[in-house]
Amino acid sequence: MERQIVMDSSSSSDLVREMMEVIETVGSYAGFRVTQRKECLNLVRRLTLLVPLLEEIMELDYSVSGLGLNSLLNLKKALLGAKKLLKTCNYGSKIYLAMESEAVMCRFHAVYHKVNHALDDIPFDKLGVSIEVKEQVELMRMQLKRAKRRTDTQDMELAMDMMVIFSKKDERNADIAILERLANKLELHTIAELKAEKTAIAKLVKQRGGYNETMHQIVDLLGKFKQIAGIDETVSLDGPISTRTPQTCQSPLVPHEFLCPITLEIMTDPVIVATGQTYERDSIRKWLNSNHRTCPKTGQTLENLSLAPNFALRNLILQWCEKNNLELPKKDSYASSVNYSAEIMEEISSLVLNLSSSQPNVRRDAIVKIRMLSKENPENRIFIANDGGIPRLVQLLSYPDSNIQEHTVTALLNLSIDETNKRLIAREGAIPAIIEILQNGTDEARENSAAALFSLSMLDENKVLVGNFNGIPPLVALLKNGTMRGKKDAATALFNLSLNQANKSRAIKAGIIPPLLHLLDDKNLGMIDEALSILLLLASHPEGQNEIGRLSFIETLVEIIRNGTPKNKECAVSVLLELGLNNSSLILAALQFGVYEPLREISISGTNRAQRKANSLLQHMSKCEHIP
């Protein structure tokens, strides 16, 4: 017999007050990570609907006992679970929360279940809860029940970007664009954000009891984000950051204006940017070379990228150091660094003019040199665009020489890494010409055309343009008949383009399904995950469901679920789940092909994501007939 717990009115008021404080605390959180922000705000909004209920219970002048007390204790436990989850989404590692977004979603649904379960047992009538409040609580419960797992377009883009960064073997400039895109999506592009992320990761490692493969991936990605942000430092979670800055001065007596706003180190070579702000030369150059065109301190767009030595401030710093017996390191290449940008700008201006030369050799040499310079660093890409290089290069895409076309499309690929250049290249009418080279160019030109379309299609408006200019069919052809690298470029571009609903239909009509199925059959290509990622997108489209949902494909999925690598299994289960949610007969077909046992094994020992997908699929199967 269950023991009755009795609590006097003051004690029950304390319990209710604690729950109200939990709701107030989660309502004060203001930094929810972008990958869970929508779900967090929804949960907080739903929890606040409980406040009127708690206020009425607090006003009771009699004791709460038995089931009423148990239900309140269970509700408190559920609210504490919600608080813990929301705190993680407010202060946790942004990279980790992006990698484990589906696991976090499972935690949200567990919280929903616990809150609903606790509310199930509350004896509203015995507690004298008003009808209005009872209806409000019921509304919240219905919202929790209707909350379903979702896969937004942004989440899919994020998942694909993560997959490319962690699994792509060939290091090329397109990866830099993906890194910048990831940094922007995760809001990890300012110095303050990156420092906060480092602290969050250090806490996560401590909680996990040390490093594992996932932690190493997170730390590695953080290091890459720091590099593209222009912070030249080694990420160490066991101690202070180790930088290559000549000397750190931590004395609180150092005048604030002597410290570089980026590194917070005393400046040895201060320079002034277009906004009038002063920075250490090496630090601001790294910032500019990381594709930034803004002043780090003010956020203003820089009218130009010139750096003027701040001799007056440098003399003041030297005088202060002499007075305080501090010797600054001497720089050997000071004079040469001052003239570096001017020399490059002069060279680029000359090369851009030579792109229109009537002499074929001069024009060809200029294109080759611009291709090389556009690959070297972000600053060069900005200089080339500012000097009018993009319109001239776009004109040369149609030049009747395959070598000229190859060098030109590759130069535009490099230039397209810059976000502003993406728009300029498309505005100049490059996309139809790039598609033409994709159809008829050399192997390398076709590969780099596909990579260029991938880079340009980072912008949603360019996704539409590529589709409207009939760029999908030649990408499908490259996926089918291209070299190994060509197939990978085509797959990446097609995935990105298929995030647009109209392009999904175009890809299906262009015959994308057969080459994707071939990639699943040919294990030597090593592109099963890429193929399944695209198929997962197409499976959400009605035409894709009809095209993919054939028995032979279901049998192939079951085979991968049974014998594939852990990552293969994870992707295959995801596709089967997407198809099965729209067509239960496909689930029955998978059962006939023997998916149940390997699926149950994955639900226990697969990757985290595979386990979650497998459990969802098993739950869905339980609603179907003829389950073993």
Side-chain angles (χ1 to χ4, degrees):
M1 188 172 180
E2 193 171 322
R3 194 176 72 176
Q4 293 288 314
I5 304 176
V6 180
M7 185 178 290
D8 60 33
S9 59
S10 62
S11 298
S12 59
S13 295
D14 290 341
L15 175 62
V16 173
R17 189 176 294 106
E18 289 172 6
M19 287 191 277
M20 293 180 68
E21 288 174 355
V22 169
I23 295 174
E24 183 180 357
T25 298
V26 299
S28 69
Y29 292 153
F32 293 127
R33 303 329 191 194
V34 66
T35 41
Q36 287 83 28
R37 188 168 293 156
K38 182 177 179 180
E39 207 68 35
C40 289
L41 293 174
N42 283 339
L43 178 55
V44 171
R45 176 176 54 80
R46 289 162 182 158
L47 293 181
T48 56
L49 294 176
L50 293 175
V51 172
L53 168 67
L54 297 175
E55 287 177 340
E56 285 200 1
I57 295 176
M58 186 180 290
E59 292 172 359
L60 293 176
D61 57 359
Y62 57 86
S63 63
V64 178
S65 63
L67 292 177
L69 178 60
N70 287 333
S71 63
L72 290 181
L73 290 172
N74 288 335
L75 182 58
K76 178 185 175 183
K77 188 181 297 184
L79 292 180
L80 289 175
K83 177 184 176 182
K84 182 177 180 181
L85 174 58
L86 291 167
K87 184 177 181 180
T88 298
C89 293
N90 194 74
Y91 298 108
S93 161
K94 295 178 179 179
I95 299 174
Y96 177 79
L97 288 170
M99 291 178 69
E100 296 294 324
S101 58
E102 290 202 46
V104 177
M105 277 303 301
C106 287
R107 290 180 61 186
F108 273 102
H109 285 273
V111 166
Y112 299 159
H113 175 74
K114 288 178 180 177
V115 172
N116 255 325
H117 183 69
L119 292 172
D120 271 337
D121 297 332
I122 291 182
F124 293 97
D125 295 335
K126 291 184 178 179
L127 292 176
V129 175
S130 66
I131 296 176
E132 293 80 6
V133 170
K134 186 177 179 181
E135 289 177 348
Q136 187 169 330
V137 172
E138 188 60 30
L139 172 65
M140 186 211 70
R141 294 184 61 201
M142 291 300 297
Q143 290 177 352
L144 293 178
K145 289 178 180 178
R146 284 199 303 265
K148 294 181 180 179
R149 191 167 306 175
R150 71 186 194 283
T151 306
D152 292 339
T153 297
Q154 184 186 37
D155 295 339
M156 288 302 302
E157 289 180 341
L158 202 62
M160 188 62 177
D161 287 346
M162 290 281 194
M163 187 179 77
V164 171
I165 291 298
F166 290 135
S167 66
K168 196 166 184 180
K169 295 179 181 178
D170 52 316
E171 294 289 337
R172 286 183 295 166
N173 285 335
D175 291 339
I176 300 174
I178 296 172
L179 278 168
E180 292 174 346
R181 175 173 163 180
L182 269 177
N184 287 327
K185 279 186 182 179
L186 298 181
E187 299 174 351
L188 286 172
H189 42 73
T190 69
I191 296 167
E193 289 167 348
L194 290 167
K195 287 185 176 179
E197 178 67 7
K198 175 181 176 289
T199 302
I201 294 173
K203 290 180 180 177
L204 184 62
V205 171
K206 187 176 181 181
Q207 291 169 1
R208 294 290 172 116
Y211 284 91
N212 55 26
E213 183 180 352
T214 300
M215 291 299 108
H216 282 295
Q217 286 183 321
I218 291 173
V219 171
D220 179 61
L221 184 54
L222 176 62
K224 291 177 180 178
F225 286 160
K226 286 178 178 290
Q227 289 175 6
I228 64 173
I231 304 174
D232 190 10
E233 60 182 29
T234 301
V235 180
S236 171
L237 302 182
D238 299 323
I241 293 176
S242 170
T243 70
R244 291 178 216 163
T245 308
Q247 181 170 340
T248 302
C249 185
Q250 300 176 340
S251 170
L253 300 177
V254 179
H256 181 71
E257 61 270 20
F258 291 177
L259 302 178
C260 173
I262 295 176
T263 62
L264 301 181
E265 309 286 348
I266 189 168
M267 290 182 279
T268 61
D269 185 6
V271 292
I272 305 171
V273 298
T275 58
Q277 298 295 325
T278 297
Y279 300 92
E280 175 67 26
R281 181 183 298 277
D282 287 346
S283 300
I284 191 62
R285 283 191 62 81
K286 285 167 190 156
W287 173 265
L288 296 175
N289 288 344
S290 301
N291 233 15
H292 296 289
R293 297 186 183 185
T294 56
C295 173
K297 189 171 182 180
T298 66
Q300 294 175 271
T301 300
L302 296 171
E303 294 181 1
N304 59 71
L305 303 180
S306 60
L307 304 176
N310 191 336
F311 292 115
L313 181 59
R314 189 167 189 269
N315 288 333
L316 288 174
I317 292 173
L318 290 173
Q319 292 172 17
W320 183 89
C321 289
E322 183 178 355
K323 181 179 178 181
N324 290 274
N325 297 318
L326 177 66
E327 183 177 354
L328 290 178
K330 292 182 174 59
K331 295 211 170 187
D332 298 327
S333 56
Y334 174 74
S336 62
S337 65
V338 172
N339 298 320
Y340 172 77
S341 294
E343 292 174 2
I344 289 294
M345 291 175 70
E346 185 177 346
E347 180 184 7
I348 286 174
S349 296
S350 175
L351 290 170
V352 169
L353 289 175
N354 288 341
L355 290 175
S356 303
S357 173
S358 58
Q359 301 177 42
N361 289 338
V362 173
R363 185 169 51 237
R364 181 179 290 104
D365 290 345
I367 295 170
V368 172
K369 185 63 175 174
I370 283 179
R371 173 181 175 174
M372 294 170 58
L373 288 172
S374 63
K375 183 178 181 179
E376 285 180 1
N377 60 62
E379 193 173 26
N380 289 350
R381 293 192 274 275
I382 295 171
F383 289 155
I384 293 168
N386 288 347
D387 276 332
I390 288 176
R392 288 180 167 87
L393 287 168
V394 171
Q395 292 174 1
L396 290 171
L397 286 172
S398 304
Y399 192 82
D401 181 311
S402 59
N403 283 330
I404 293 289
Q405 290 180 356
E406 181 182 308
H407 290 305
T408 303
V409 78
T410 307
L412 287 170
L413 164 62
N414 296 335
L415 290 170
S416 71
I417 294 171
D418 181 88
E419 196 77 7
T420 301
N421 287 350
K422 284 179 172 61
R423 291 186 171 85
L424 291 175
I425 292 168
R427 194 180 303 151
E428 291 297 326
I431 288 177
I434 293 173
I435 292 172
E436 179 69 25
I437 295 174
L438 176 64
Q439 291 175 306
N440 303 308
T442 64
D443 283 346
E444 184 174 351
R446 294 177 70 204
E447 292 163 1
N448 289 338
S449 295
L453 291 178
F454 164 68
S455 180
L456 291 171
S457 66
M458 295 288 189
L459 301 181
D460 288 339
E461 60 264 33
N462 289 346
K463 289 183 178 72
V464 175
L465 287 176
V466 173
N468 289 342
F469 284 119
N470 209 27
I472 303 291
L475 283 170
V476 172
L478 184 63
L479 181 69
K480 183 177 180 180
N481 302 314
T483 63
M484 173 71 78
R485 178 169 163 178
K487 290 178 187 291
K488 287 183 176 290
D489 287 324
T492 309
L494 285 166
F495 177 91
N496 209 36
L497 289 165
S498 295
L499 293 167
N500 175 277
Q501 190 72 3
N503 285 341
K504 291 180 185 179
S505 180
R506 293 185 176 107
I508 294 165
K509 290 175 180 176
I512 192 175
I513 304 298
L516 289 176
L517 298 182
H518 176 69
L519 294 178
L520 296 182
D521 293 332
D522 192 341
K523 307 297 188 295
N524 294 326
L525 292 173
M527 293 182 62
I528 292 177
D529 295 339
E530 288 89 340
L532 288 172
S533 295
I534 299 173
L535 287 166
L536 180 59
L537 282 179
L538 302 180
S540 65
H541 192 279
E543 294 176 40
Q545 293 164 14
N546 294 333
E547 185 77 17
I548 299 170
R550 298 177 179 177
L551 292 182
S552 59
F553 177 61
I554 300 302
E555 187 174 10
T556 299
L557 283 181
V558 173
E559 179 62 25
I560 295 172
I561 290 171
R562 183 182 292 115
N563 297 317
T565 66
K567 184 65 176 176
N568 294 162
K569 294 178 179 180
E570 174 186 312
C571 293
V573 171
S574 299
V575 176
L576 183 57
L577 176 61
E578 181 66 34
L579 290 172
L581 290 174
N582 294 288
N583 189 343
S584 295
S585 64
L586 299 179
I587 296 292
L588 296 175
L591 286 169
Q592 291 175 357
F593 287 123
V595 76
Y596 189 73
E597 288 303 324
L599 195 61
R600 209 165 54 165
E601 182 180 338
I602 291 173
S603 71
I604 298 171
S605 59
T607 65
N608 289 339
R609 182 169 182 263
Q611 287 182 35
R612 294 189 294 274
K613 293 290 185 180
N615 281 315
S616 296
L617 196 50
L618 287 168
Q619 289 175 13
H620 190 63
M621 285 178 175
S622 67
K623 301 175 184 178
C624 300
E625 297 178 357
H626 310 305
I627 187 168

